[in-house]
Amino acid sequence: MRFSRLPACIAVALPLWAQTPVINPRGLINAFSQQPAPSTATPGGLLWVNGINLGPVEGFTAPPGEWPTTIGDPSLQVMVNGRPAAIGSATPSRLVIQVPWEIAAGAGAGNIVQVVVVKGEVRSRPAFVRVLAANPALRVKGDTGIGEAFTAGASPTLKLSATGLGNLPPEQRPENGKAVATEWPGAVRVYVDGLPAKVKASLSGERVGEFEIEIEVPEGATEGGIVELFAANAQAANSPTLGKPALRSSYLALPDAARAVRQVRTAGVQPRLVLANAPRREDGCYPSWLFDYTAMKVTAVEPCLIAAAQNAASPIIATAGSHTLAAFAGPAEGTAQDGLTTRVAVFKAGAEQPMLVQLPRAASVLAGGPNGSLLAVMPTTPPSAVTIDTTTGDVAEFQAQGGLPGIPGLPAAGAAFPGGAAFPGGLSVDLGGGLNVVLSAAIGLGNNTRAVLVGDKANTPTAAKLALLNPQNEVTATRDLPEGWLPLMPPLPVIQVPPGGTPPQITPVSRALLTFDNATRSLYILARKTDDSADGLIAFTGAELEQKTTPFPAGWFAASCTPNLNFYSIELARRLALFASSKPEKTVAPVCGARGFLMLDLPSGNVTEVPLPGVGQLNAGNAAGEINDFIYGNNTDPASTTGADTLYVLDGVAGSAFAINAPAEVSSFNGAFPVPALSVVLALGSLPQQAPGSAGIVVFNMQNEQAFLLPTPEGFASVQFTTVVQGSRKIVARGTKTGATGTQYLIYDLETRDLAFVPNPEGVAFVGAAPTAVAGGGAPGGGVPGGGVPGGGQPGGGQPGAGQPGGQAPAAIQIQLADPETNTVTGAAFNAERQLTGLIQVRVP
């Protein structure tokens, strides 16, 4: 590379820090959570801006309670969507700023805003961050985002420091860059070690953009307990600890009557509260037991617990952000269609029996409600609901803006109550001329308008139109698709049906791909020419939805040999990406080969191709996905049937693809489990001619484009991934000993790569899942916790078989639950004879 030499006079006149500022496209980071980009912030919250040539060489630190919006000579400003941000500190590589209070957060997923550094007359290229209405995060020692919480005061009264609780009304918020003590009017909840704490929150009068969270540490909280913060019903992005946690392993033996346990549930923020149930009896009751790991005792539950759905594996409701468990209390008073019961049982840690709550009307659905409450939904006309305060048991009528559909945990629009009663909100559109099949999900365009594709056939439409709907789902206008183009319909999944079995009915709707870019007011439809000669994007842009068609580059098609065809949003570069192949597939392929990626630049509307390096091909249909604007997939090798040896990755920000080879010790790997908080993907590594996990766990680091192996320890034949404890950067795995004589929990440290063994309780040989041979002559267990291969299921959500006397079909079992938010794993324990003996719970330090 050649450089031109500047004249000496110019070089002297141009100080180093006044050179063109450059923001790292992945350099906007929440100051407290430290989550990798694309990070999130809130109005009034704190943000790190990382890059080069940003601040003065000599550095700058603002007074603690008053930050300026302009510093230096020439002047330095940071503009957030055109508004100057207050600057707390500045160096050439980092600026610490406060997001202006006036920045609009938007609803739901928030609003993507641009950040630009301006030095004199020179401006950086914009970088992007998502601004949410509420995005709480707690400060930790060392400002690393993980570890021990930063505290002031003396126990039991402590002060925590937080950011991102939300916005204030204009008349109450301080000026940007000013620290003014202001009582926080919003709802705030704090749990310490799973126990609710008394809490008071206010804006700091000393530190800009920070909130002081004063708590009373609850009695019973242990050293190293996790702090969980909730504000405006949003959970904090990080969960630090009070003090240094220690490894804790607790075991509770099953009473003889509880040996039929098949399901386990833990409370959202209180893992020491565990409910286990046996299969449903003929009278509709589920025999259940309360496992209290605080009191270290097991108690049979009274009254009986019931569920509206007769095939429900468990009647127990575990909701995120709650320290309780709940279930309908039997016996049933009616049916799911007219209301199952008027009683709800609420379980709390430390209480041997539940609190019984009386409802005003019979309900059929239980779900999580706002601020840690429960929602009981009644099949009235229209459906109604009440909230249950899980602390006091108080019941109040629930009023939801826009109705009940869409509330997390409740039936989706168009679904049904347990038992078959219709839930409102299903979409039915008839445009006439045989166009009456909804092909896509409805997508919001703003101005009380939604768009949906409607065709004549679900799987292979021969005609289709775009319909515009008002809030009442009435058609207000339609748009024709360009001649010779139709929506690309991903193929239906292939379901294996045993001989003599009945294939399940699949509802083939909402499969066409639509996406809307608010900044350019453009709606994009993935489409294919009717003669299969090209794929492309149909855009409807602007207030009049003017049509434009952009064919993909010649020879490039969407990888449509998988039902999992998706647009991937590249937030940091304002792009969309999808897997691409070399031909127009129409059916599911065992290996959906992709030759690279296609990227849509949203500002320009242009599409470019990104081929894989070399002559590689990746599998777009299995273990492929997205993490922090990296799109990844395992390579495919026709000569290998055991797995992959390379992970292909698209860096959506750089717009280029790269390959990460498996470590030399690994013959192949299977699956891919993303961990966004760490920007890594995990997979199970194999030794030659051996099972997945025989080599250990492969860690693919997206940021440095490298992989390393956490090896299977000596004396073990393989390891199976269980979960990642993000708060301490550790992986929990279940190791199978050589000769299948036992299993044991293992804890890998991702930073030091150290390995800790969790000793099994006395008399316990196997943990976490039913072994491959089961006493009683029944069918062997076959599941692997966490889906076995990363990417095959949620952590800890395996469904191992249980075995039944006489060779009956095994009942579904969920006997391992991994909760990375509370750093715990709860699993079944078996003796050497493979008999279920109890439950073990491990707290990971």
Side-chain angles (χ1 to χ4, degrees):
M1 182 178 294
R2 298 172 61 188
F3 296 92
S4 299
R5 183 180 298 274
L6 290 174
C9 59
I10 297 179
V12 171
L14 188 65
L16 178 64
W17 87 277
Q19 295 177 14
T20 301
V22 178
I23 303 177
N24 183 333
R26 298 183 182 274
L28 300 184
I29 303 294
N30 186 293
F32 278 13
S33 73
Q34 292 292 300
Q35 287 188 324
S39 197
T40 52
T42 56
L46 302 180
L47 193 67
W48 284 6
V49 181
N50 296 312
I52 58 175
N53 298 329
L54 298 178
V57 173
E58 67 272 16
F60 167 82
T61 301
E66 189 168 350
W67 295 4
T69 56
T70 303
I71 66 171
D73 183 19
S75 63
L76 168 68
Q77 285 189 314
V78 182
M79 309 300 290
V80 181
N81 266 16
R83 290 184 176 272
I87 303 171
S89 65
T91 68
S93 60
R94 176 175 298 156
L95 309 174
V96 179
I97 68 169
Q98 181 190 29
V99 177
W101 287 103
E102 298 84 0
I103 294 298
N111 183 31
I112 296 177
V113 303
Q114 71 173 18
V115 177
V116 175
V117 175
V118 183
K119 289 176 25 174
E121 301 298 321
V122 183
R123 301 170 65 90
S124 72
R125 290 186 178 182
F128 300 93
V129 66
R130 184 178 293 274
V131 175
L132 303 173
N135 182 46
L138 288 161
R139 187 179 182 186
V140 303
K141 295 178 180 180
D143 290 327
T144 60
I146 64 169
E148 294 184 57
F150 180 87
T151 61
S155 188
T157 302
L158 295 177
K159 285 186 178 180
L160 308 172
S161 185
T163 188
L165 268 61
N167 212 331
L168 285 163
E171 65 275 9
Q172 296 182 23
R173 70 174 69 125
E175 294 180 35
N176 292 317
K178 300 293 178 65
V180 179
T182 307
E183 185 176 349
W184 177 247
V188 176
R189 291 179 288 130
V190 173
Y191 300 91
V192 179
D193 201 22
L195 302 172
K198 292 181 180 180
V199 59
K200 183 171 64 175
S202 62
L203 268 173
S204 172
E206 300 176 354
R207 298 181 302 279
V208 174
E210 295 190 28
F211 291 85
E212 290 183 351
I213 312 292
E214 184 177 288
I215 64 170
E216 295 288 332
V217 178
E219 185 178 353
T222 60
E223 175 73 13
I226 288 177
V227 180
E228 298 275 10
L229 168 66
F230 294 82
N233 219 33
Q235 185 172 2
N238 59 343
S239 302
T241 62
L242 283 185
K244 292 185 177 181
L247 176 64
R248 183 177 65 201
S249 179
S250 306
Y251 173 73
L252 286 172
L254 287 169
D256 289 341
R259 297 297 175 92
V261 160
R262 293 295 179 267
Q263 297 286 324
V264 171
R265 299 289 186 271
T266 59
V269 298
Q270 177 49 282
R272 289 181 288 173
L273 174 63
V274 178
L275 276 176
N277 67 271
R280 179 187 181 119
R281 298 192 312 232
E282 291 185 2
D283 63 359
C285 290
Y286 292 78
S288 302
W289 292 265
L290 174 65
F291 288 72
D292 190 329
Y293 282 93
T294 300
M296 292 304 293
K297 62 188 302 185
V298 182
T299 307
V301 171
E302 292 292 342
C304 85
L305 306 182
I306 59 175
Q310 294 187 7
N311 62 347
S314 175
I316 304 160
I317 303 299
T319 60
S322 174
H323 65 296
T324 61
L325 293 167
F328 284 127
E333 303 167 26
T335 65
Q337 291 89 336
D338 57 19
L340 184 69
T341 182
T342 58
R343 296 199 305 163
V344 174
V346 179
F347 298 84
K348 304 177 185 179
E352 292 189 3
Q353 292 300 330
M355 173 176 65
L356 292 178
V357 177
Q358 186 69 37
L359 304 177
R361 302 176 297 280
S364 294
V365 173
L366 270 182
N371 299 317
S373 66
L374 283 168
L375 276 180
V377 184
M378 292 81 173
T380 52
T381 304
S384 58
V386 297
T387 60
I388 302 171
D389 187 308
T390 55
T391 300
T392 65
D394 292 341
V395 176
E397 293 292 332
F398 177 71
Q399 302 294 330
Q401 185 177 0
L404 292 174
I407 296 174
L410 297 187
F417 276 104
F423 196 84
L427 186 60
S428 177
V429 180
D430 190 342
L431 301 182
L435 299 181
N436 56 10
V437 179
V438 176
L439 301 178
S440 73
I443 189 168
L445 307 182
N447 300 319
N448 292 319
T449 300
R450 295 190 300 162
V452 65
L453 280 170
V454 183
D456 60 341
K457 298 178 184 178
N459 291 325
T460 56
T462 59
K465 285 188 177 184
L466 184 72
L468 304 183
L469 310 177
N470 64 17
Q472 291 73 43
N473 289 337
E474 299 167 335
V475 178
T476 60
T478 62
R479 294 290 187 274
D480 292 328
L481 303 188
E483 185 175 355
W485 289 84
L486 285 169
L488 195 160
M489 303 299 293
L492 290 172
V494 176
I495 298 179
Q496 301 294 332
V497 180
T502 302
Q505 184 176 1
I506 299 176
T507 304
V509 298
S510 303
R511 292 188 292 124
L513 267 66
L514 277 72
T515 189
F516 180 68
D517 178 49
N518 188 61
T520 59
R521 308 297 299 170
S522 298
L523 174 71
Y524 290 96
I525 302 169
L526 182 62
R528 175 167 289 169
K529 296 199 73 170
T530 53
D531 61 2
D532 296 339
S533 61
D535 287 356
L537 293 172
I538 302 171
F540 291 92
T541 304
E544 301 300 320
L545 296 181
E546 297 178 3
Q547 181 200 110
K548 176 186 176 182
T549 304
T550 303
F552 293 156
W556 287 78
F557 297 82
S560 54
C561 43
T562 171
N564 303 318
L565 183 59
N566 293 303
F567 285 127
Y568 294 99
S569 174
I570 310 297
E571 291 186 13
L572 300 175
R574 299 264 297 117
R575 293 168 174 159
L576 293 177
L578 71 161
F579 291 108
S581 68
S582 56
K583 57 184 178 180
E585 295 104 335
K586 296 183 178 180
T587 58
V588 174
V591 174
C592 184
R595 62 185 292 194
F597 309 87
L598 289 160
M599 289 198 310
L600 166 69
D601 180 73
L602 289 169
S604 68
N606 295 328
V607 176
T608 56
E609 73 274 23
V610 181
L612 297 179
V615 292
Q617 178 176 272
L618 66 80
N619 185 359
N622 182 37
E626 182 272 341
I627 175 175
N628 299 340
D629 287 356
F630 294 102
I631 318 299
Y632 62 86
N634 297 346
N635 74 315
T636 61
D637 183 357
S640 173
T641 60
T642 58
D645 59 18
T646 302
L647 189 74
Y648 284 117
V649 183
L650 168 69
D651 184 337
V653 178
S656 59
F658 60 89
I660 307 178
N661 295 324
E665 310 96 306
V666 175
S667 172
S668 63
F669 64 87
N670 292 78
F673 186 88
V675 187
L678 308 180
S679 277
V680 301
V681 172
L682 307 178
L684 291 181
S686 301
L687 298 172
Q689 307 302 315
Q690 294 190 36
S694 55
I697 297 174
V698 183
V699 182
F700 294 94
N701 190 307
M702 301 291 102
Q703 299 279 15
N704 63 24
E705 303 180 17
Q706 295 180 352
F708 64 87
L709 179 68
L710 299 172
T712 296
E714 186 178 353
F716 288 79
S718 65
V719 295
Q720 298 292 326
F721 171 78
T722 298
T723 192
V724 173
V725 178
Q726 298 176 7
S728 59
R729 305 293 196 261
K730 293 189 173 70
I731 296 176
V732 181
R734 187 172 64 95
T736 299
K737 295 180 180 180
T738 304
T741 58
T743 57
Q744 185 175 346
Y745 286 124
L746 310 173
I747 301 175
Y748 292 94
D749 190 312
L750 276 167
E751 293 188 340
T752 66
R753 305 191 192 181
D754 291 338
L755 174 62
F757 297 83
V758 180
N760 284 352
E762 185 177 355
V764 171
F766 300 89
V767 295
T772 55
V774 182
V784 177
V789 176
Q794 294 300 316
Q799 296 289 330
Q804 298 294 327
Q808 299 175 15
I813 303 178
Q814 185 165 318
I815 49 177
Q816 178 169 272
L817 292 176
D819 187 351
E821 298 299 329
T822 59
N823 296 10
T824 57
V825 174
T826 304
F830 302 82
N831 61 21
E833 288 71 39
R834 293 169 165 80
Q835 296 169 328
L836 182 62
T837 62
L839 296 180
I840 180 176
Q841 185 171 92
V842 179
R843 184 178 78 171
V844 182

